[in-house]
Amino acid sequence: MIKKLSSINSLLKVTKKYSTSKLYIPYNQTSDTYVVVEPYIDLDNRLKNINILKDNITLRGLNIDIDKICDNWSSFISLRDEIVCLNVEKQKLAEQLKKIKKDNTNEIHGLRETRSKLMTRLKSLRDDISTLEAEVVIPSLSIPNILHPECPLSESKILFQHLGKIKIDNKECVDHLKIGSALECLDFINPVMVYIKNKASLCEQAILAYFNESLEKSDFIPFCNSDLIKSVIVEGCGADVNNADQTFILSDKNLHLVGGASLQSFCAFLTKVSVGGNKLPMRLYSTGRLYKPYIKNIGLFSAVQTNAVEIFIGSTDEQKSRDQFDKMLAVYRQLYENIGLDYRIVYSPVSKLENWESLRAQVELYSVSCRDYIAVASLSLSGDFISKRLRIYWSGKDKHNFLNIVNGKMVDTNVLLGCLLEQNVNEFTVPDCLKNCMIV
């Protein structure tokens, strides 16, 4: 198998700085801009305990002027409510004008004069509220998710550690690039151009089959997602659409290259969708490409393109979502114990979380060459943070509520292959559980 993505620098550029949000369209732009989705802004609840929110923002290292947002929020609500009332009144005037007789000129003149004053006031309010939207609402979209009580504040918390069963024959701590080249399993030109060959290629396919088989046994539904996602979805998932360290931005396009095995790809499908409560928990998975911006030069561990398995679980409430989280963590543990490498499961500290995450558990494999643990899988709780932004609902008998989401990357094949290669300088050792899935 050959994995190649050439001339990536000519395709993926941050050439355009967006002047405003792609998720929230200001009132003065709605007439000439298509509104894909109107996010549910839940600032009333978020601003109830301002000190906890400030601590959350500080711990994540974010730069948000929460005092300014808080001070102007009530003004925004007042303007918004007045605009709603005036629009209702405008509609009533239009209906009265339709019903009135043409010869009743005095009443027609009075209604038109009232409508004129109303339209003037609406125009004035339109400018005022657009200013507040730029100063309050759009900055508020950067406010992160509520932190879970179990999330570590400073350092990773080790939940479980497992010593590997595979005998290590790599005393000199040779890295996987040199071993892979010597064993003719790997040609690493640069982080963009990677060739996985021979036995390693067969093992890569076996890794995906191994994880897919476990998900099918757990009644997960396979999905085929898009690699390209619009900016509105990326922002709806809590990412900065201008941050080149988070996603690849296609030059001069309102598109991001993320890969089908990603949270954003699932959310693109589910935006403005209402899932029947009788179908929950909704358990989906996707196998495919995952694209990661190049940051550090650590071989396969930092390659731009990899294969991955992404899961998405939707539940009715926080408790059921947490139950699904715990069940999946047990599945992760069993799968990686079977592989037999030295690994651990940790809770990531606040500073490592993405904006949309409330809690993240991470599976880390020990890299012999790095003499450190490298993340190979993750599982995240996000509650209804994303659902509110992208209007993802579940429907009960008499109500519609926002879906609670658990998502995770079950495996990054590049990381697992790299760690397997580093076990033995003389041969590429494939664990028995993967041999059973290999197509020879």
Side-chain angles (χ1 to χ4, degrees):
M1 175 187 173
I2 295 178
K3 301 199 313 186
K4 180 178 179 181
L5 186 60
S6 60
S7 303
I8 195 167
N9 290 329
S10 63
L11 293 172
L12 308 170
K13 300 177 182 177
V14 185
T15 58
K16 180 180 179 182
K17 291 293 183 183
Y18 302 118
S19 59
T20 185
S21 169
K22 291 292 178 179
L23 178 63
Y24 187 92
I25 307 302
Y27 187 71
N28 62 354
Q29 296 179 24
T30 53
S31 59
D32 53 14
T33 304
Y34 177 69
V35 180
V36 176
V37 59
E38 184 180 353
Y40 178 77
I41 308 297
D42 192 23
L43 274 181
D44 287 328
N45 286 326
R46 295 309 309 274
L47 297 175
K48 279 181 180 177
N49 197 323
I50 195 72
N51 291 327
I52 290 178
L53 179 55
K54 284 183 177 180
D55 289 342
N56 185 351
I57 291 169
T58 302
L59 287 167
R60 292 179 187 255
L62 301 175
N63 183 22
I64 303 172
D65 190 348
I66 199 67
D67 288 324
K68 184 178 181 180
I69 293 173
C70 187
D71 291 342
N72 292 305
W73 175 243
S74 58
S75 299
F76 170 79
I77 294 298
S78 297
L79 282 178
R80 186 187 64 181
D81 291 345
E82 186 177 354
I83 288 172
V84 170
C85 291
L86 289 175
N87 278 318
V88 171
E89 190 176 341
K90 184 177 73 171
Q91 183 66 31
K92 289 180 179 178
L93 287 172
E95 292 174 358
Q96 288 177 9
L97 283 168
K98 285 181 182 179
K99 295 177 181 179
I100 200 168
K101 294 181 179 180
K102 293 182 180 180
D103 57 355
N104 197 342
T105 54
N106 290 334
E107 191 172 351
I108 291 174
H109 178 75
L111 288 173
R112 285 178 175 174
E113 188 175 343
T114 302
R115 185 177 64 176
S116 177
K117 291 178 181 178
L118 187 149
M119 296 298 291
T120 302
R121 177 60 178 161
L122 270 175
K123 184 178 179 181
S124 173
L125 290 178
R126 177 177 177 172
D127 296 334
D128 292 341
I129 199 168
S130 296
T131 300
L132 282 176
E133 284 173 322
E135 294 178 353
V136 179
V137 181
I138 292 176
S140 76
L141 294 173
S142 299
I143 293 176
N145 201 350
I146 298 168
L147 289 176
H148 193 277
E150 294 183 44
C151 182
L153 299 182
S154 56
E155 297 181 354
S156 297
K157 177 184 177 182
I158 299 175
L159 303 177
F160 175 79
Q161 190 153 1
H162 175 79
L163 296 177
K165 296 181 291 186
I166 299 176
K167 185 178 179 181
I168 298 176
D169 185 8
N170 186 3
K171 294 180 180 179
E172 301 298 322
C173 297
V174 181
D175 68 55
H176 57 270
L177 298 184
K178 293 178 181 178
I179 296 173
S181 177
L183 298 178
E184 298 184 346
C185 288
L186 180 66
D187 280 347
F188 187 91
I189 311 302
N190 55 50
V192 174
M193 194 176 295
V194 181
Y195 298 83
I196 295 176
K197 308 183 298 182
N198 301 323
K199 194 174 182 179
S201 175
L202 295 174
C203 183
E204 182 183 42
Q205 296 302 306
I207 291 169
L208 297 175
Y210 171 67
F211 283 91
N212 288 347
E213 184 179 310
S214 71
L215 290 172
E216 288 170 5
K217 288 179 179 178
S218 300
D219 297 324
F220 274 77
I221 301 172
F223 255 61
C224 183
N225 292 324
S226 172
D227 286 342
L228 297 173
I229 302 300
K230 289 187 175 182
S231 295
V232 62
I233 303 300
V234 172
E235 188 177 346
C237 290
D240 181 355
V241 293
N242 293 318
N243 191 341
D245 291 337
Q246 292 186 349
T247 62
F248 286 120
I249 307 169
L250 271 65
S251 61
D252 302 321
K253 297 289 183 182
N254 189 24
L255 289 172
H256 299 249
L257 180 64
V258 296
S262 65
L263 169 65
Q264 294 94 332
S265 294
F266 276 115
C267 290
F269 176 81
L270 292 166
T271 294
K272 294 194 292 186
V273 167
S274 181
V275 182
N278 61 337
K279 302 295 183 183
L280 300 179
M282 180 176 65
R283 297 152 69 87
L284 314 174
Y285 80 92
S286 177
T287 301
R289 294 284 193 257
L290 179 65
Y291 297 96
K292 305 174 293 181
Y294 167 72
I295 299 174
K296 297 180 180 179
N297 185 13
I298 45 177
L300 278 179
F301 301 153
S302 61
V304 164
Q305 174 185 297
T306 187
N307 278 315
V309 179
E310 178 80 10
I311 63 168
F312 182 102
I313 305 174
S315 302
T316 57
D317 55 50
E318 288 184 18
Q319 185 55 54
K320 290 181 180 178
S321 191
R322 180 56 197 256
D323 291 343
Q324 291 296 319
F325 179 90
D326 291 338
K327 287 178 182 178
M328 284 310 303
L329 212 52
V331 172
Y332 277 42
R333 179 172 169 175
Q334 184 60 56
L335 289 171
Y336 280 95
E337 280 187 15
N338 292 342
I339 291 173
L341 295 180
D342 185 353
Y343 83 96
R344 68 185 186 184
I345 299 177
V346 303
Y347 278 155
S348 298
V350 181
S351 59
K352 300 294 183 182
L353 298 186
E354 300 294 341
N355 267 17
W356 52 270
E357 290 178 302
S358 168
L359 177 69
R360 183 204 300 165
Q362 196 160 269
V363 180
E364 300 175 341
L365 295 178
Y366 185 76
S367 165
V368 176
S369 66
C370 296
R371 301 180 185 182
D372 197 4
Y373 285 89
I374 307 295
V376 68
S378 62
L379 190 66
S380 300
L381 273 175
S382 60
D384 57 9
F385 181 83
I386 293 173
S387 297
K388 286 179 176 178
R389 295 162 73 96
L390 295 177
R391 299 281 179 170
I392 304 174
Y393 297 99
W394 69 270
S395 58
K397 187 175 181 180
D398 301 310
K399 59 182 179 179
H400 288 263
N401 291 315
F402 293 106
L403 196 69
N404 278 259
I405 296 172
V406 173
N407 83 284
K409 177 178 63 181
M410 288 199 78
V411 65
D412 180 325
T413 57
N414 281 354
V415 175
L416 182 48
L417 285 172
C419 290
L420 284 171
L421 281 167
E422 291 179 357
Q423 300 301 300
N424 195 319
V425 295
N426 299 310
E427 65 173 335
F428 180 47
T429 305
V430 179
D432 291 339
C433 64
L434 299 181
K435 284 181 182 177
N436 297 333
C437 299
M438 288 181 72
I439 302 174
V440 181

